[in-house]
Amino acid sequence: RKGWCSMDRQGRGGPRRPGGPGGPRRPASPGKPGAPNRGGRPGGPGGSGPAKPGEARRSFDKKPLKEGDRRQGGDRRQGGDHRPESPAPRRGGIDARRLALNALGEVVRVKAYSTLALSEHLRAASHLTPEDKRLATVIFYAALENRIQIAWILKQFVQSMPEKVIEDILHIAAAQILFLDRVPDHAAVNEAVGQVKSLGRERFAPLVNGALRSLIRARDAGELHYPEREDDPIKYLSVMNSLPLVLATKLIEDYGLEEAERMAAYRPGERTQVIRPNLLRYTDKAFASYLDARRLPHERGTVPHAFHLTGAGDLGHDPDYKNGVFSIQGEGSMLAALAVAPERGQNILDACAAPGGKSALICELMGLTGRVQAWEVHEHRVELLRATKDRLRLDNLRALARDSSIHRPDCDTAFDSVLIDAPCSGLGVMINKPDIKYRVTEDDIQSLTALQARILEACAGYPRVGGRLVYATCTVLKDENERQVRAFLDRHGEYALDPSDGWLPEALRPRLEGGMLQLQAHIDGMEGFFIARMTRKRL
């Protein structure tokens, strides 16, 4: 039996996959009076200068409920239940703050993915008005994104948290007091005390009431204490930007303190969702007319085919999305596919493909000619790829369960181009998915860089001579990006970086350095993404 790579040369058909849910973007959280807003700093997109106490931000965390999963039959829990023994109020009675509290508990206690946890609770709360849902969303992200800073501040008023649910209630209330100037302080305090009582924890009501009122007095008097920037810059960056110490250390090592502050503090002034048309059905101009007809406010992105939508709701459940009219995909992800520069009739490998956005764009750019193999190591991830194939009707996409870190000799020189969007720490997308930053450890980074090196090594033989190898990540750490590529080139003299910039939109061409592109949210207004294009010169 011939290997799949050889079979592709003969043009046989195969499976498919789904476009990953980008998830709705979060609305920005305005800061309290006297506390500058992290989302609107002076001096351009990211502004400049260190973060200030009380500035708004966002963050979160999740695991049992994996991205792409849907919960069945109620709440999943792992590692103990953070919720009280007393029954929670029925769904119809949950208000905005209780919704934010429940979603926060799932993220920080059960390790749920924030976008999925919040979306699930919002869908279940059909009784809430759109305004209440927006309030719940803003409170949820303010509490998550600022979690380390809030914990630092609460420690000044509560030395030891009596229960996890009380800690979560205090975080929800403190987020409103410190970061949301449209929420009256008395409302935040009263609602927190009411939550404590409704959960059968009346004995803790005085503690919650006293701690929050003390926090308000200290804030107004300018008596909240923070780490000193000069004395301990790592601790300062960690607390003021709610970054775990390991990430604060890495960013300072890679970029210096001032640039690390700009990176960590940046928040876009307006949250949007990025989508692109199915290129088999729409030109960009025709797609703009389609959005106009649907009365969906939009702006063109920097990257070709990218459209930024505001107030579009849950696009992952939109009938037109399900029918393959458009895909939800970030601009960095689109660029990784464009870096391959696919041509009609080519044989291309997407080595780490799920959920399939880049494979789909490559298939569409090739006009359903040639073959795109999309590999994933886990079968449930392959099913995501097959769902994308079905949704977009991509006859030239083949989804296969393959471990890209293991070399397959039958695939040597079988492809015109190979794309490796490698597993990474994901820190380039923590603005949209802040829970990512709380999950990454030093051990994770070391194991990820080792895995990236193995995948590069295994795939090095697959492009033909003159073919292209594209390495990409959605992170900003140099160990996973530039240093990883340099080490690969040191081992493989048959490859060279390709400095040509014709694949890039004109606005981004000055950002290309010798064949490597590091996008930064605070500079480029899109997710942090790294792309290196290499050409195989010889066997």
Side-chain angles (χ1 to χ4, degrees), residues 127-168:
H127 63 286
L128 291 183
T129 65
E131 292 75 15
D132 282 340
K133 289 185 177 183
R134 283 193 290 270
L135 175 61
T137 299
V138 169
I139 293 173
F140 171 76
Y141 282 116
L144 276 171
E145 194 162 74
N146 297 286
R147 186 160 183 80
I148 291 177
Q149 186 180 141
I150 290 173
W152 175 275
I153 292 170
L154 287 175
K155 190 72 173 177
Q156 299 171 37
F157 307 101
V158 182
Q159 289 301 308
S160 178
M161 291 292 175
E163 292 186 10
K164 298 298 186 183
V165 71
I166 301 302
E167 182 179 10
D168 291 346

Side-chain angles (χ1 to χ4, degrees), residues 28 62 79 83 128-129 145 150 171 204 210 223 236 258 274 285 288 372 374 534:
K62 173 166 191 171
R83 302 190 184 212
L128 291 183
T129 65
E145 194 162 74
I150 290 173
H171 270 257
F204 298 122
E223 294 176 352
Y236 175 85
E258 291 187 4
V274 184
K285 182 178 179 180
V372 177
M534 295 169 276

Side-chain angles (χ1 to χ4, degrees), residues 196-215:
V196 171
K197 292 179 178 179
S198 71
L199 293 173
R201 300 297 193 269
E202 291 87 349
R203 65 188 183 279
F204 298 122
L207 179 149
V208 170
N209 183 68
L212 294 176
R213 294 190 182 280
S214 296
L215 186 159

